[in-house]
Amino acid sequence: MRETFTLASDYIALCDLLKYCAITESGGEAKHFIAEGHVLVDGEVELRKRRKVRDGMVVSGDGFEIRVIAG
């Protein structure tokens, strides 16, 4: 799945982005998913659940890619 997410503010927390884009069903599930090392931000494994995802970043994992753009 490839998706583009448009920011409504300067950034979105990584766990919120995963929940909003339906990669996970809840924020709690998103936090576990991130902690297990399943999420890459700009090609590098990211373990920080509240990582600020900003314009131009790409969040990816097994079967998904989210490009983040400014609103």
Side-chain angles (χ1 to χ4, degrees), residues 47-66:
L47 300 175
R48 294 175 289 174
K49 301 162 193 76
R50 303 292 304 169
R51 163 77 187 262
K52 293 178 180 178
V53 180
R54 299 179 187 276
D55 177 40
M57 292 180 153
V58 177
V59 176
S60 59
D62 189 29
F64 71 92
E65 179 179 283
I66 305 165

Side-chain angles (χ1 to χ4, degrees), residues 14 32-49 51 58-62:
L14 180 58
H32 288 292
F33 191 66
I34 295 164
E36 291 172 355
H38 296 294
V39 180
L40 305 174
V41 175
D42 292 336
E44 295 188 21
V45 174
E46 181 58 67
L47 300 175
R48 294 175 289 174
K49 301 162 193 76
R51 163 77 187 262
V58 177
V59 176
S60 59
D62 189 29

